[in-house]
């Protein structure tokens, strides 16, 4: 399973460990991913996602999962999140 946030697309970054002697060795910075269950108010269902803590704060800042999915571009979202977004758009069109 890749270490990529399903809602923001945030992934790993590459950098250096730098010693006191200024020797540089490659290292990887991984996002802080958490398995969370987010509730969709319009669909009245809960969905499980693997989200970075930064992404979780962004979802809360935007007023919940529904608002976040509508505002976010499709390129950043995972296949699972895109599926939920399509359901959400259908539900909005029907209402």
């Amino acid at each position: 399973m890749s270490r990529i946030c399903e809602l923001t697309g945030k992934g790993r970054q590459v950098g250096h460990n730098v010693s006191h002697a200024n020797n540089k060795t490659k290292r990887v910075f991984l996002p802080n991913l958490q398995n969370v269950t987010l509730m969709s108010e319009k669909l009245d269902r809960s969905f499980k996602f693997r989200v970075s803590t930064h992404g979780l704060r962004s979802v809360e800042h935007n007023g919940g999962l529904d608002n976040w999915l509508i505002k976010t571009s499709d390129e950043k979202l995972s296949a699972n999140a895109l599926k939920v977004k399509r359901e959400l758009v259908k539900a909005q069109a029907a209402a």
Side-chain angles (χ1 to χ4, degrees):
M1 186 179 282
S2 60
R3 306 270 309 167
I4 296 175
C5 176
E6 290 190 76
L7 297 181
T8 61
K10 186 175 192 162
R12 68 183 201 140
Q13 290 184 317
V14 179
H16 289 102
N17 280 331
V18 181
S19 69
H20 185 66
N22 206 27
N23 297 329
K24 295 174 184 73
T25 56
K26 287 278 191 175
R27 65 155 295 176
V28 176
F29 295 93
L30 296 174
N32 183 9
L33 295 180
Q34 306 294 324
N35 293 318
V36 295
T37 303
L38 297 172
M39 184 73 183
S40 170
E41 295 165 3
K42 292 178 182 154
L43 298 176
D44 201 33
R45 280 179 50 200
S46 59
F47 298 95
K48 288 188 177 183
F49 292 108
R50 195 157 189 233
V51 183
S52 65
T53 52
H54 175 267
L56 197 55
R57 291 183 67 205
S58 299
V59 168
E60 292 300 318
H61 179 75
N62 281 291
L65 180 64
D66 298 340
N67 291 339
W68 171 260
L69 289 174
I70 290 167
K71 289 180 182 179
T72 308
S73 65
D74 291 352
E75 291 84 38
K76 287 185 178 181
L77 298 174
S78 68
N80 187 21
L82 270 174
K83 188 173 147 186
V84 175
K85 183 176 181 176
R86 282 190 213 106
E87 283 183 45
L88 194 62
V89 171
K90 280 183 189 176
Q92 274 188 333

